[in-house]
Amino acid sequence: MMLFSLLFPHACAEEEIPAPAHELPKGFCYIHEVIPDAILDIRYAGTHNFVGDVIDGYEAPYAIATVEATNALKEAADEFRAMGYRIMIFDAYRPKSAVKHFVRWAYDEDDKRMQEEFYPEFKKKILMVDQGYIARNSSHTRGSAIDLTITDMEGNPLDMGTGFDYFGKLAWHGAKGVTEEQTANRVLLRKVMEKHGFRFFEKEWWHYKLLGEPFPDTSFDFPVK
């Protein structure tokens, strides 16, 4: 797992996050430059994800988003911080090449290395595409969707009942089989994110998309680096 903790006002993790390698397209920014205490656990830049490999288009463990989404997320992060929490980001902007990688993987029924952790309910991976868990056209490619959770101030994630990218009904909002504490944590995340302009996705407690996103009809494919 590639985990980089950016602690305000300066980084003090064992591994300092590298400086951005290139200038982003107009309208985009690096989230950690706006929210310095955000914890980046960018799963697709490493191998701890449902595929089990580094995903196409991810050359560094950064979280990138549109300026509008980042500013709205900062407002949410400020509110969480006042409550004693920090945000942990799993993914934000996602290149189209990564989406294509996911779909190719879903058609490869021989590769089920990560099934036990991420999709134990599915015997056929292609069903995850059919049921909307893996999108052929992801809102992340437009730059205003965020996958995240909240942690305590030391960076310990709150218990949400499943991990990030668990494909199954247990990850749904309002899922049966989730404890009262886990439900309360999900509700807290959702309440603050919605307050600051984000819409939730029914099947994923971690996924939020900015309402009024600036590029509603444009999918991008520049690399995360």
Side-chain angles (χ1 to χ4, degrees):
M1 177 176 69
M2 303 182 73
L3 180 61
F4 294 84
S5 176
L6 305 182
L7 303 178
F8 184 81
H10 59 277
C12 55
E14 290 184 4
E15 293 184 76
E16 298 286 344
I17 193 166
H22 75 309
E23 184 176 351
L24 297 175
K26 184 177 181 180
F28 285 82
C29 63
Y30 290 97
I31 292 177
H32 72 269
E33 293 183 344
V34 179
I35 311 173
D37 68 340
I39 300 170
L40 304 185
D41 183 9
I42 308 302
R43 296 292 184 86
Y44 304 142
T47 59
H48 184 207
N49 57 61
F50 66 90
V51 174
D53 297 316
V54 175
I55 305 304
D56 291 353
Y58 287 82
E59 301 179 18
Y62 287 116
I64 296 168
T66 62
V67 171
E68 291 84 351
T70 302
N71 287 338
L73 184 63
K74 181 183 184 303
E75 294 178 358
D78 289 345
E79 182 163 346
F80 282 128
R81 191 180 305 108
M83 300 167 67
Y85 302 110
R86 297 164 64 187
I87 62 170
M88 173 182 282
I89 301 173
F90 302 117
D91 194 34
Y93 159 71
R94 182 182 306 164
K96 287 193 295 182
S97 59
V99 176
K100 294 177 180 178
H101 189 165
F102 292 159
V103 174
R104 288 197 310 273
W105 168 86
Y107 277 92
D108 180 6
E109 292 293 347
D110 294 329
D111 182 0
K112 294 185 178 180
R113 288 171 289 161
M114 309 302 285
Q115 182 177 30
E116 182 177 355
E117 179 177 357
F118 293 98
Y119 54 99
E121 301 177 27
F122 287 89
K123 293 183 179 180
K124 292 185 177 181
K125 297 193 309 183
I126 190 60
L127 293 177
M128 288 185 277
V129 178
D130 297 340
Q131 295 183 25
Y133 290 101
I134 295 176
R136 295 181 185 275
N137 296 290
S138 173
S139 60
H140 283 275
T141 65
R142 304 195 295 270
S144 292
I146 311 291
D147 291 339
L148 80 165
T149 191
I150 44 180
T151 77
D152 62 21
M153 294 306 289
E154 285 70 47
N156 302 301
L158 274 61
D159 185 357
M160 295 292 182
T162 76
F164 165 64
D165 265 357
Y166 178 86
F167 299 136
K169 290 187 177 180
L170 197 61
W172 291 27
H173 289 274
K176 295 180 180 179
V178 179
T179 69
E180 290 185 5
E181 178 186 0
Q182 293 162 349
T183 297
N185 291 338
R186 294 184 184 190
V187 170
L188 173 61
L189 176 60
R190 176 174 168 178
K191 180 179 179 180
V192 174
M193 292 297 288
E194 288 186 320
K195 178 179 178 181
H196 294 285
F198 290 89
R199 175 182 294 169
F200 73 98
F201 176 46
E202 179 186 9
K203 295 183 178 182
E204 299 176 349
W205 59 258
W206 55 83
H207 176 91
Y208 288 87
K209 180 181 69 174
L210 183 70
L211 295 171
E213 57 183 308
F215 302 111
D217 303 312
T218 305
S219 292
F220 293 87
D221 199 29
F222 61 89
V224 176
K225 67 178 183 178

